[in-house]
Amino acid sequence: MTTLDLGFLASHGGSSMRAIVGAIAGDGLDARARIVIGNNGDAPALQFAHAQGIPVRHISAKTEGSEPAADQAICRAFEDSGVAWVVMSGYLRKLGPATLARYRGRILNIHPALLPKFGGQGMYGRRVHEAVLAAGEHVSGATIHLVDEEYDHGRIIAQREVPVLPGDTVDDLQQRVMAAEPGFFVDVLRSLASGGALPNPA
């Protein structure tokens, strides 16, 4: 078993982060939540983490003066907190070169579609599900992948399918995929903690 020292990045609610923190508290995941960083100081994710006793930081180009300075601050905050793995939970900013270099191969993101379809710049939130429905897909889902310099591009770690049902609206599909994501992320991290290495996709 490997205890995972996790750092989180979130922009809004951080639903996967909340599920992971819950799994740690319930002894279902061998991990420690070291810090939660948000680019939005009012993010509910930061409020949740603070209430759980997890250190929080608001770091953005606005707080640091520039995007490169924010990147350096994020990297330092993770290093100073003893973070080994970075989890992106609805973080809507592109990571900078310092953080990417320091944690390459250890930054995990979840995307609300089955990559490589329906990914890339601008493909987030409702836009993803609109595209899935417009394409006439019968299956959607979630993808956990490593993060690199391109949006939704890094190596796929695992995927979980979610059906697209007849008559689905964008809201219907979005809610179904969102419901699957948090437990899926916990399962992947549990596999990582158990084996000490990232699982290979089936």
Side-chain angles (χ1 to χ4, degrees):
M1 295 288 288
T2 301
T3 301
L4 306 178
D5 288 306
L6 303 176
F8 297 89
L9 290 164
S11 293
H12 297 295
S15 58
S16 290
M17 178 270 293
R18 293 173 189 241
I20 292 163
V21 169
I24 294 170
D27 295 326
L29 176 61
D30 187 7
R32 291 179 287 249
R34 292 295 196 178
I35 190 172
V36 178
I37 296 174
N39 62 309
N40 170 13
D42 296 323
L46 297 185
Q47 298 167 17
F48 169 84
H50 179 72
Q52 299 297 313
I54 302 167
V56 301
R57 288 282 305 276
H58 171 208
I59 299 175
S60 67
K62 186 174 181 179
T63 66
E64 305 304 314
S66 69
E67 291 289 356
D71 173 34
Q72 292 285 347
I74 289 169
C75 188
R76 284 196 305 270
F78 281 149
E79 289 179 331
D80 292 346
S81 300
V83 168
W85 292 87
V86 175
V87 172
M88 296 177 69
S89 182
Y91 187 68
L92 301 180
R93 304 294 298 174
K94 200 170 189 179
L95 292 185
T99 306
L100 284 170
R102 173 64 179 81
Y103 289 97
R104 186 168 301 279
R106 289 175 171 262
I107 307 172
L108 298 170
N109 181 53
I110 191 163
H111 182 75
L114 299 177
L115 294 174
K117 292 184 177 181
F118 311 112
Q121 187 170 3
M123 292 298 286
Y124 59 88
R126 290 176 60 86
R127 297 178 185 181
V128 176
H129 309 295
E130 288 170 352
V132 170
L133 292 176
E137 298 286 329
H138 298 292
V139 176
S140 188
T143 300
I144 292 175
H145 66 96
L146 293 176
V147 174
D148 61 15
E149 287 81 2
E150 299 181 41
Y151 287 108
D152 306 321
H153 175 264
R155 178 167 75 88
I156 292 171
I157 303 304
Q159 294 184 311
R160 181 162 291 179
E161 293 186 351
V162 171
V164 179
L165 302 180
D168 264 352
T169 65
V170 172
D171 287 339
D172 292 335
L173 182 57
Q174 183 175 38
Q175 291 301 315
R176 196 176 302 118
V177 173
M178 286 177 63
E181 288 178 338
F184 177 36
F185 223 141
V186 169
D187 288 345
V188 168
L189 291 175
R190 189 178 290 116
S191 177
L192 172 59
S194 297
L198 288 168
N200 291 314

Coordinates of all heavy atoms in Angstrom, one line a residue, residues 7-9 35-37 73-84 86 99 103:
G7 N -2.7 16.9 -3.5 CA -3.0 18.3 -3.6 C -4.1 18.5 -4.6 O -4.1 17.8 -5.6
F8 N -5.0 19.4 -4.4 CA -6.1 19.6 -5.2 C -6.2 21.0 -5.8 O -5.8 22.0 -5.2 CB -7.4 19.4 -4.4 CG -7.6 18.0 -3.9 CD1 -7.1 17.7 -2.6 CD2 -8.3 17.0 -4.6 CE1 -7.3 16.5 -2.1 CE2 -8.4 15.8 -4.1 CZ -7.9 15.5 -2.8
L9 N -6.7 21.0 -7.1 CA -6.9 22.3 -7.8 C -8.4 22.3 -8.1 O -8.9 21.4 -8.7 CB -6.1 22.4 -9.0 CG -4.6 22.6 -8.9 CD1 -3.9 22.3 -10.2 CD2 -4.3 24.1 -8.4
I35 N -3.5 19.9 0.6 CA -3.9 21.3 0.4 C -4.9 21.4 -0.8 O -4.9 20.5 -1.6 CB -2.6 22.2 0.0 CG1 -2.9 23.7 0.0 CG2 -2.0 21.7 -1.3 CD1 -1.7 24.6 -0.2
V36 N -5.7 22.4 -0.7 CA -6.7 22.7 -1.8 C -6.4 24.1 -2.3 O -6.4 25.0 -1.5 CB -8.1 22.5 -1.4 CG1 -9.1 22.9 -2.6 CG2 -8.4 21.1 -0.9
I37 N -6.1 24.2 -3.6 CA -5.8 25.5 -4.2 C -6.9 25.9 -5.2 O -7.3 25.0 -6.0 CB -4.4 25.5 -4.9 CG1 -3.3 25.3 -3.9 CG2 -4.2 26.8 -5.7 CD1 -1.9 25.1 -4.5
A73 N 3.8 30.0 -7.7 CA 3.2 30.0 -6.4 C 2.5 28.7 -6.2 O 2.5 28.1 -5.1 CB 2.3 31.2 -6.2
I74 N 1.8 28.2 -7.2 CA 1.1 26.9 -7.1 C 2.1 25.8 -6.9 O 1.9 24.9 -6.0 CB 0.2 26.6 -8.3 CG1 -1.0 27.6 -8.4 CG2 -0.2 25.2 -8.4 CD1 -1.7 27.6 -9.7
C75 N 3.1 25.8 -7.6 CA 4.2 24.8 -7.5 C 4.8 24.8 -6.1 O 5.0 23.7 -5.5 CB 5.2 25.0 -8.6 SG 6.4 23.6 -8.7
R76 N 5.1 26.0 -5.7 CA 5.8 26.1 -4.3 C 4.8 25.6 -3.2 O 5.2 25.0 -2.3 CB 6.2 27.5 -4.1 CG 7.5 27.9 -4.8 CD 8.0 29.2 -4.2 NE 7.0 30.3 -4.2 CZ 6.8 31.2 -5.2 NH1 7.6 31.1 -6.3 NH2 5.9 32.1 -5.1
A77 N 3.5 26.0 -3.4 CA 2.6 25.6 -2.3 C 2.4 24.1 -2.3 O 2.3 23.5 -1.2 CB 1.2 26.3 -2.6
F78 N 2.4 23.5 -3.4 CA 2.3 22.0 -3.4 C 3.6 21.4 -2.8 O 3.5 20.5 -2.0 CB 2.1 21.5 -4.8 CG 0.7 21.6 -5.4 CD1 0.5 21.8 -6.7 CD2 -0.4 21.5 -4.5 CE1 -0.8 21.8 -7.2 CE2 -1.7 21.5 -5.0 CZ -1.9 21.7 -6.3
E79 N 4.7 21.9 -3.2 CA 6.0 21.4 -2.7 C 6.1 21.6 -1.2 O 6.4 20.6 -0.4 CB 7.2 22.0 -3.3 CG 7.4 21.6 -4.8 CD 8.5 22.4 -5.4 OE1 8.8 23.5 -5.0 OE2 9.1 21.8 -6.4
D80 N 5.7 22.7 -0.7 CA 5.8 23.0 0.7 C 4.8 22.2 1.5 O 5.0 22.0 2.7 CB 5.5 24.5 1.0 CG 6.6 25.4 0.4 OD1 7.7 24.9 0.1 OD2 6.4 26.7 0.3
S81 N 3.7 21.8 0.9 CA 2.7 21.0 1.6 C 3.0 19.5 1.5 O 2.2 18.7 2.1 CB 1.3 21.3 1.0 OG 1.0 22.6 1.1
G82 N 4.1 19.1 0.9 CA 4.4 17.7 0.7 C 3.5 16.9 -0.2 O 3.3 15.7 -0.1
V83 N 3.0 17.6 -1.2 CA 2.2 16.9 -2.2 C 3.0 16.1 -3.2 O 4.0 16.5 -3.7 CB 1.4 18.0 -3.0 CG1 0.7 17.4 -4.3 CG2 0.4 18.7 -2.1
A84 N 2.5 14.8 -3.4 CA 3.1 13.9 -4.4 C 2.2 13.8 -5.7 O 2.8 13.6 -6.8 CB 3.3 12.6 -3.8
V86 N -1.2 15.5 -7.8 CA -2.1 16.6 -8.0 C -3.4 16.1 -8.6 O -3.4 15.4 -9.7 CB -1.5 17.7 -8.8 CG1 -2.5 18.8 -9.1 CG2 -0.3 18.2 -8.2
T99 N 4.6 24.0 -12.7 CA 3.8 22.9 -12.1 C 3.8 21.7 -12.9 O 4.0 20.6 -12.4 CB 2.4 23.4 -11.8 OG1 2.4 24.6 -11.1 CG2 1.6 22.4 -11.1
Y103 N 5.5 18.1 -11.5 CA 4.6 17.0 -11.2 C 4.2 16.2 -12.5 O 3.2 15.6 -12.5 CB 3.3 17.5 -10.5 CG 3.6 18.0 -9.1 CD1 3.8 19.3 -8.8 CD2 3.7 17.1 -8.1 CE1 4.2 19.7 -7.5 CE2 4.0 17.5 -6.8 CZ 4.2 18.8 -6.5 OH 4.5 19.2 -5.2

